[in-house]
Amino acid sequence: MPVQDHHAFASIRTLAQGLRQGDFTSLQLTEFFLDRLERLGPNYNAVATVTGQLARQQAKDADTELAAGKDRGPLHGIPFGVKDLLATRGIPTSWGAAVMKDRVIDADATVVVRLRDAGAVLVAKLAMVEIAGGLGYKQANASFTGPGLNPWDTQRWAGGSSSGPGSAVSAGLVPFAIGSETWGSIMTPAGFCGITGLRPTYGRVSRHGAMALSWTMDKLGPMARTADDCGLVLETIAGFDDADPTSSDKTLQWKTPTRFEHKPQLAIVTDCDKHVQKDVRKNFRKSLEQLETFCQISEVELPDLPYEDVAGTLIACEMAAAFEGLVTSGDVWQMTAPEDRYGAHASLMIPAKDYINAMRIRPKIQAAIDGLFQDVDALVTPTLATVAYPNDQSFSEYRKGHHSSRIGGAANAAGIPGITVPNGFGEKHLPTGLQLVGQAWNEITLLAIAAKYQDLTDWHKKHPDV
C-alpha cells in the first residue's frame, strides 16, 4: 500500500502534497484511515459510527476531480471526523446518549457541508460525553460508547466532552476532527491527548445542525496535529450562515509561514502555574523561554469577576431549556453516568433572576477581558493543571489541590478564542499543553504564534505507540 504508517500522524499539508504528487489517491488514503478507525477505534472508545460507504464515494469523487485538474484546496481528498453532535444526513447522530444512539437527523450541519464543499472526506462520527457534559458528569464513564480512553495510556481519560476527536486525532485515526466547546470541551481533550485544538470566537463558525447545549456559549472548532492544520480547517468552516443568525460575516484567511508585523506581546496570567502539577509548571516555564525568542512577555492579572458562576449559570439554564423534554419524558434515566440521570433536575429549578443577572454581568466580563488586550496580543497559561485523569477515580479526587487559571471560565463567558498546543510530558509520560488566549476575532494571531512555537519545538510530532 502506498500509504505508510507514518501518514497516520502526518499534517494536512503533507497529505495534500502526497495526493497531488501521486504518491497515493484519496481512496487509498481513505481506506487507510477507515481501517484504523475499525481496527483501533474500539481500543479508545473513540468512534460512534464509521461512515465507510459515504467516505469511499467522496474519496472517489475527489480523485476524479483532482485528476481532471479541479482542485478545491488543501482539504480536498483529506479524511476527517466530526464529533457526534453534528447532524449528518442518513447517518446516526447520537449526542453521546444511549437513548439517541440510533436517531438519524435528515440534514447536514453547515460545518459538514462546508467541509464537503472543500472536498474533504467524512470517515467517522466520533464519540463524545453524553449531551456534551451538560448534565454534570463527574467521572470518565459518561457515554454509551464507554469512557474516552487516552491513546498515551488507556488507563487515563481522553478528556471531554470531545473525547472521540481528541483520542482519534492523537491515535492517528483521522488527520483532523471537528470538536465543540462550551467550557473546556476542545481544550481539555486536546491538552490531555497531546494534540492541537482551537476554540474560535463565538459566532466565527456556524452552529447550524449542531446540538445546542448553551445557545450563547457553544463554539465549533478544529482539533488536529498542528496549528497550521487548525488554520486550514478554520478558514474552511468559518463565515456567515443564513441558518445561524449568531454567525459572523467577518472574513478570515490563514497563510503560513506568517510574518509578524511586530514582535508579539504575550502576557502570563498571574499565578496561572501556582496550583498545577510540578511537571506542568516545568514545561510551561520551558515554553516561555522558547516563546521569548520571538515574543515580548509580561504579566497580567485577571480582574476579580465571577467568571465561573456566570458561565456555569448560563450553561445550566440554557441546557435546562434545551433538554427539558429529556427530563420530563423520563428518557434522562437512560443516561450512562449515574449522576447524569439526575443532574438536570436541579438546573430546571434555577430562578429566572439568576439567569438574567448572569446575562447582565456578562458584558462586564467581556469589557474587562477585552481591556487586557490593549497592549497584549495573547494571554499565556498552562492548558490544564494536571495530565490526564485516571479512569478509575472521580475527577475531583485526582485533581485535588490542583486547579487551572480562571481564564477558562473567563474566556468562554466572554466568547473569545484560544488555542492549545502540546509542550511536553508529565506524570507517567502523559502530554501537557500550552494555552494561548486572544482577543475576539483574533484567531490568526493565535495561530501564527502557535505555529511559530511549533516551528521551534517538536512536541506536536510526538505520538503514542498504537
Side-chain angles (χ1 to χ4, degrees):
M1 180 180 287
V3 184
Q4 305 297 316
D5 285 346
H6 67 86
H7 288 117
F9 304 98
S11 69
I12 289 173
R13 288 192 195 272
T14 298
L15 296 176
Q17 183 180 25
L19 283 171
R20 286 154 184 79
Q21 290 176 171
D23 297 342
F24 42 76
T25 65
S26 177
L27 182 58
Q28 288 170 329
L29 192 64
T30 297
E31 292 287 5
F32 173 77
F33 282 107
L34 287 173
D35 173 69
R36 292 181 69 85
L37 285 160
E38 294 275 15
R39 182 166 46 87
L40 301 176
N43 295 345
Y44 313 109
N45 297 329
V47 182
T49 305
V50 176
T51 58
Q53 183 177 355
L54 173 65
R56 291 182 178 96
Q57 185 57 57
Q58 290 182 338
K60 291 175 184 177
D61 292 343
D63 286 331
T64 299
E65 290 185 343
L66 289 168
K70 182 177 181 179
D71 192 332
R72 296 175 181 261
L75 302 186
H76 201 173
I78 305 296
F80 74 100
V82 297
K83 185 176 181 178
D84 201 23
L85 53 57
L86 287 168
T88 44
R89 190 184 303 274
I91 300 167
T93 302
S94 72
W95 298 354
V99 69
M100 302 172 192
K101 65 183 178 66
D102 299 318
R103 188 256 323 258
V104 176
I105 299 173
D106 190 29
D108 284 317
T110 295
V111 163
V112 173
V113 173
R114 288 181 174 172
L115 288 167
R116 182 179 66 219
D117 289 347
V121 176
L122 178 63
V123 291
K125 304 291 291 295
L126 298 171
M128 58 181 283
V129 171
E130 52 195 355
I131 314 300
L135 303 180
Y137 69 112
K138 299 177 182 179
Q139 36 76 38
N141 187 27
S143 174
F144 79 91
T145 51
L149 305 181
N150 196 310
W152 292 93
D153 180 352
T154 55
Q155 300 303 308
R156 300 285 181 136
W157 189 40
S161 63
S162 304
S163 57
S167 57
V169 173
S170 178
L173 310 186
V174 290
F176 74 91
I178 303 298
S180 73
E181 174 153 326
T182 308
W183 184 355
S185 291
I186 288 175
M187 292 292 164
T188 300
F192 279 169
C193 292
I195 64 171
T196 303
L198 175 69
R199 176 190 67 236
T201 306
Y202 175 82
R204 174 68 84 180
V205 177
S206 169
R207 294 167 299 136
H208 171 66
M211 185 202 90
L213 173 59
S214 173
W215 292 283
T216 67
M217 287 183 64
D218 293 342
K219 287 87 56 187
L220 300 176
M223 300 171 70
R225 304 225 65 80
T226 69
D228 179 46
D229 288 351
C230 287
L232 294 173
V233 177
L234 181 63
E235 182 178 8
T236 300
I237 63 177
F240 179 71
D241 176 18
D242 286 331
D244 179 1
T246 69
S247 62
S248 170
D249 61 358
K250 292 181 181 291
T251 59
L252 179 146
Q253 188 174 24
W254 169 243
K255 292 183 179 180
T256 187
T258 299
R259 294 185 180 276
F260 296 108
E261 295 182 2
H262 64 271
K263 197 170 187 178
Q265 304 293 304
L266 305 184
I268 304 166
V269 175
T270 300
D271 291 339
C272 65
D273 63 347
K274 185 176 181 180
H275 300 287
V276 303
Q277 288 178 335
K278 181 180 178 180
D279 287 335
V280 172
R281 182 181 303 109
K282 180 187 70 175
N283 293 346
F284 177 63
R285 291 294 161 175
K286 179 64 176 178
S287 295
L288 294 178
E289 293 175 11
Q290 291 154 332
L291 289 168
E292 279 184 319
T293 64
F294 67 99
C295 297
Q296 187 73 36
I297 301 180
S298 58
E299 187 172 312
V300 68
E301 188 168 355
L302 291 181
D304 187 18
L305 291 166
Y307 308 115
E308 296 84 0
D309 290 340
V310 167
T313 300
L314 294 176
I315 293 170
C317 291
E318 293 179 22
M319 179 279 297
F323 290 100
E324 182 179 11
L326 182 71
V327 177
T328 57
S329 69
D331 286 345
V332 72
W333 296 103
Q334 297 182 48
M335 295 296 105
T336 300
E339 63 270 27
D340 282 358
R341 298 169 194 159
Y342 55 78
H345 291 78
S347 296
L348 287 168
M349 303 304 293
I350 298 174
K353 66 178 179 62
D354 288 357
Y355 181 77
I356 292 168
N357 283 329
M359 290 295 282
R360 289 177 59 238
I361 297 169
R362 185 186 223 167
K364 300 180 186 297
I365 290 174
Q366 291 171 319
I369 298 299
D370 192 59
L372 298 178
F373 294 104
Q374 287 187 345
D375 301 308
V376 171
D377 294 304
L379 307 180
V380 58
T381 73
T383 303
L384 298 158
T386 72
V387 297
Y389 309 149
N391 281 327
D392 60 354
Q393 291 180 244
S394 69
F395 300 153
S396 58
E397 182 182 356
Y398 177 71
R399 67 186 180 212
K400 187 175 182 180
H402 301 107
H403 61 80
S404 301
S405 161
R406 301 181 69 201
I407 192 60
N412 277 288
I416 59 176
I419 190 168
T420 176
V421 295
N423 74 334
F425 295 93
E427 177 184 282
K428 305 291 186 182
H429 197 66
L430 290 162
T432 62
L434 173 72
Q435 177 180 221
L436 298 163
V437 175
Q439 193 170 29
W441 314 113
N442 209 14
E443 290 93 343
I444 294 299
T445 296
L446 295 182
L447 286 163
I449 296 169
K452 179 64 174 177
Y453 174 80
Q454 290 183 325
D455 285 342
L456 299 175
T457 63
D458 65 355
W459 301 116
H460 58 290
K461 297 179 182 179
K462 309 291 186 184
H463 61 79
D465 182 8
V466 298

